Amino acid sequence: DLEHIEKNYYARLKDILKKHKFEGKQDQVFVLTESKNEKLLQFIFIGVGALNNSWDRNLEILRRSIGNAVAHLKRLTIQQAV
């Protein structure tokens, strides 16, 4: 969650997301790069929206969001993702 990332990796994350107008809306994407312990970390935030639809519609939104994240990982040539 955002608190964990702020505490362990990127202080003021919420302020940065707000500055770049990332609100978590469906299909929004924001990539943030950070260096920690001489390693380059990239955080990819993918918006899914409110997820207040029927369960099958929410599942489809999540499926597409995962596909969106994978596409961004490929473009960034990420070697390892968690």
Side-chain angles (χ1 to χ4, degrees), residues 33-42:
T33 303
E34 169 70 14
S35 176
K36 181 159 179 129
N37 299 329
E38 298 184 27
K39 289 187 177 182
L40 188 64
L41 302 174
Q42 289 183 299

Side-chain angles (χ1 to χ4, degrees), residues 64-75:
R64 289 180 185 198
S65 296
I66 291 168
N68 197 359
V70 169
H72 272 78
L73 286 169
K74 287 180 180 179
R75 282 195 294 273

Side-chain angles (χ1 to χ4, degrees), residues 5-18:
I5 296 171
E6 273 189 324
K7 180 180 175 186
N8 296 296
Y9 299 101
Y10 217 104
R12 301 186 53 147
L13 173 63
K14 291 177 188 170
D15 292 334
I16 292 165
L17 293 174
K18 187 175 183 178

Side-chain angles (χ1 to χ4, degrees), residues 37-68:
N37 299 329
E38 298 184 27
K39 289 187 177 182
L40 188 64
L41 302 174
Q42 289 183 299
F43 297 93
I44 302 172
F45 299 91
I46 306 288
V48 296
L51 294 178
N52 55 4
N53 304 294
S54 62
W55 70 270
D56 56 330
R57 178 71 182 128
N58 286 340
L59 188 61
E60 179 62 17
I61 290 168
L62 290 172
R63 185 192 69 76
R64 289 180 185 198
S65 296
I66 291 168
N68 197 359

